[in-house]
Amino acid sequence: MQGSADGDPAARGSAGGGSAAQGFAEGDLAAQDSADHLAARGSADGGLAAQGLADGDPAGWDGGAADAAAPRVHTHRIGAYTVVELHGEIDIAGVGSVGPGLDAATAGDEPAVIVDLRPTAFFDCSGLGLLCRAHRRVMERGGRMRLVCDNALILRTLRAGRLLDVLRPVATLDEALREE
């Protein structure tokens, strides 16, 4: 028996329930960010087919694109602050790679942390969770946290997650260091 528009989600998508295009028009930011991310990578397979690498053949792999997208954390000190730069793609697959570095920076009494998202290539709701956790840890320990971000797509993700007023991002490291 065919699914009706009332009971079958697939049928609803084409029979009165709206289409994916309508979802974008209605402000589906998470879906649009994912679509933007895929477009930036070239295709759903990250452009691997175009490079002849869809079958996983390491002979054609140069590692350049993978290195830029690989999530990693770089931590250094500037004055009283620990600056945590998040590099690469901060998504569900990358949070586990950068989370421990951010946890280390937010440990201890009264941590002073600047999270720098300028080197971040992609940032989704998993990254929002990471920032919320870091902010909570800093506040529980009586510290302070600043956020540096100048990427419009990441700022849009922060806005969608209602974190702009909480984290108050600034565009440069100098601005973050001046705030007290």
Side-chain angles (χ1 to χ4, degrees):
M1 177 161 130
Q2 292 284 352
S4 71
D6 293 333
D8 182 4
R12 275 197 306 267
S14 60
S19 67
Q22 285 174 318
F24 289 139
E26 294 168 1
D28 185 353
L29 294 177
Q32 183 62 49
D33 282 345
S34 293
D36 292 345
H37 177 59
L38 289 176
R41 296 180 92 186
S43 68
D45 66 3
L48 294 178
Q51 299 171 33
L53 302 174
D55 64 353
D57 178 12
W61 185 263
D62 70 359
D67 290 344
R72 64 191 184 283
V73 63
H74 178 256
T75 304
H76 56 98
R77 300 280 301 179
I78 297 180
Y81 283 94
T82 300
V83 179
V84 180
E85 297 175 1
L86 300 182
H87 293 257
E89 297 181 358
I90 310 303
D91 55 13
I92 194 163
V95 167
S97 299
V98 298
L102 195 52
D103 283 350
T106 59
D109 293 332
E110 299 180 8
V113 179
I114 297 174
V115 178
D116 190 348
L117 297 180
R118 291 175 302 167
T120 304
F122 177 76
F123 189 89
D124 69 6
C125 61
S126 300
L128 293 178
L130 185 72
L131 291 179
C132 285
R133 174 181 164 81
H135 185 261
R136 178 183 49 81
R137 288 170 52 94
V138 167
M139 295 299 109
E140 287 174 351
R141 291 167 170 81
R144 57 192 186 271
M145 182 173 135
R146 307 283 187 255
L147 181 65
V148 178
C149 180
D150 61 359
N151 180 300
L153 288 175
I154 295 174
L155 290 168
R156 188 170 88 178
T157 302
L158 291 166
R159 184 179 314 109
R162 306 207 185 273
L163 291 177
L164 285 180
D165 289 338
V166 175
L167 300 175
R168 298 184 327 258
V170 295
T172 68
L173 187 57
D174 285 340
E175 287 177 83
L177 291 167
R178 281 194 302 260
E179 284 188 5
E180 279 302 321

